[in-house]
Amino acid sequence: MEFRFELALCAALESPDRVVSRQLGAGIENPGGRIVDVCVMTPGPAFDRRAAITADRIPDPAIEAAVGPGEAVPLTEAFDLPPDRAEAVADHAAAVGYLERERRDGRPVVRATARYPDDWVGSLTAVENKPDLGSPGDLAAQLRYDAALGLFDHVVLATASYVTRAHLNRIPDVVGVWRFDPDTGDREVVREPTRLAPDAPGVEIRDERALRTDVALVTADAKARKRRRIAERAYGKGWRPDPPACAHATTTADGRPYCEQFERVVNPGRDCGQACEAFEPADPPATDRDALRDERTAWVATPDGAGPRRQSGLSRFR
């Protein structure tokens, strides 16, 4: 249920004014300690400059490398990394179009194809999905983590349940709440989120016990680096999963994997394959996910230096 809810929400949130992605790591001191269900990014002033570089994620070490679009720099001077790691990062960055590689006097050198813009991200909103508030699991702890760290500009809880005052009292006041119907795509704003302070230091909750909470203090610079990584990951990844390679598989008009045998959206990683009694191996359905994403969001499939795109703030989520 939660997977189908998540995909329906992603589809409903898409617009030419934003980029939507899902399942992104949001831990800093403990990188795997927090996975955000959905991330919504709105463009900043330099969004078009970033979109013109590449449709793919740019690896963070390449962004931080001592290299620009001017004179080529020896690979060993550009990266403060072990040689093998520097080679791998440079190869990846060249493959996605951010770096150019060549050899001079027998030495490998690199040059950026464009200057990386610092202000291409407008805002980042984290959405935690909990369709059934009757089975909240670790919801309260997850939202306390997000509120204390302040990595995102806004944090929102999305649910299909009727939201009571008791529910609201169990989560931080800064967290917004949406009631979302995955069948119709209707979304009601139960409570607006309060803007957090992503440009200030934060507190990362490492462990919560009855009489003790272990935390790590996180600097504003560390948060800024993590936000850039999240933005790059969101821009390059999107939210649509690969459809299953089954004769019964197709996709909805917005690109969600759908099973005609069971007449519902499916999770290819869990519902499909040899474990399914109706599985019939076949080529996956021919769905152009890049074309859908290019048409429906601010992401640019084929960078060509296009003109300014429309921008929006959180109010556009209504």
Side-chain angles (χ1 to χ4, degrees):
M1 176 183 177
E2 188 160 330
F3 182 83
R4 294 194 293 274
F5 181 92
E6 186 168 292
L7 294 196
L9 180 61
C10 287
L13 289 173
E14 279 193 320
S15 87
D17 308 293
R18 60 183 79 112
V19 171
V20 181
S21 190
R22 50 182 290 271
Q23 297 299 305
L24 302 181
I28 298 180
E29 296 295 326
N30 180 20
R34 180 74 174 101
I35 304 296
V36 170
D37 290 334
V38 175
C39 176
V40 181
M41 178 176 67
T42 61
F47 181 85
D48 291 327
R49 288 170 50 203
R50 166 60 187 86
I53 297 174
T54 176
D56 298 299
R57 174 191 183 186
I58 301 173
D60 201 64
I63 296 171
E64 295 181 345
V67 57
E71 184 177 353
V73 177
L75 184 65
T76 54
E77 297 177 14
F79 294 94
D80 185 18
L81 296 169
D84 289 349
R85 174 63 175 152
E87 281 282 351
V89 171
D91 282 346
H92 183 185
V96 302
Y98 179 61
L99 292 183
E100 295 176 336
R101 297 199 60 175
E102 58 182 279
R103 298 187 75 85
R104 290 187 180 177
D105 300 326
R107 293 196 304 169
V109 297
V110 291
R111 176 193 292 109
T113 59
R115 190 171 302 282
Y116 187 87
D118 292 329
D119 55 347
W120 70 279
V121 178
S123 68
L124 296 174
T125 297
V127 184
E128 183 67 21
N129 298 323
K130 191 59 63 175
D132 181 10
L133 292 181
S135 303
D138 295 330
L139 175 64
Q142 291 167 332
L143 294 177
R144 283 196 298 272
Y145 178 104
D146 294 337
L149 182 55
L151 180 63
F152 294 86
D153 296 87
H154 301 92
V155 176
V156 174
L157 164 66
T159 182
S161 297
Y162 177 76
V163 182
T164 67
R165 177 56 57 183
H167 291 139
L168 294 176
N169 288 340
R170 294 190 191 107
I171 63 176
D173 291 341
V174 296
V175 175
V177 179
W178 294 339
R179 191 179 184 201
F180 176 69
D181 186 333
D183 295 323
T184 65
D186 293 337
R187 186 161 40 88
E188 174 194 357
V189 178
V190 178
R191 183 170 76 187
E192 292 281 6
T194 300
R195 190 181 187 280
L196 302 177
D199 53 351
V203 175
E204 184 171 2
I205 298 175
R206 303 293 299 272
D207 186 33
E208 286 188 286
R209 284 165 282 179
L211 299 176
R212 176 177 173 178
T213 299
D214 294 332
V215 302
L217 300 181
V218 179
T219 67
D221 287 345
K223 287 170 61 174
R225 290 192 297 271
K226 186 65 178 184
R227 282 172 60 87
R228 185 180 64 212
R229 291 188 179 189
I230 290 173
E232 280 292 338
R233 181 65 169 155
Y235 191 80
K237 181 182 180 182
W239 62 266
R240 291 174 176 84
D242 292 327
C246 175
H248 302 296
T250 183
T251 55
T252 61
D254 51 31
R256 289 174 285 168
Y258 187 87
C259 178
E260 293 182 330
Q261 179 73 14
F262 295 105
E263 298 182 332
R264 61 180 175 85
V265 172
V266 292
N267 182 343
R270 294 185 179 181
D271 301 333
C272 306
Q274 298 295 338
C276 174
E277 60 184 19
F279 177 67
E280 295 182 27
D283 291 335
T287 299
D288 193 338
R289 293 179 296 163
D290 284 353
L292 282 171
R293 193 177 181 215
D294 185 61
E295 175 187 355
R296 294 165 60 94
T297 75
W299 180 75
V300 180
T302 306
D304 60 1
R309 287 171 171 262
R310 291 173 294 160
Q311 299 183 15
S312 74
L314 192 70
S315 62
R316 294 293 300 275
F317 288 134
R318 295 183 180 180

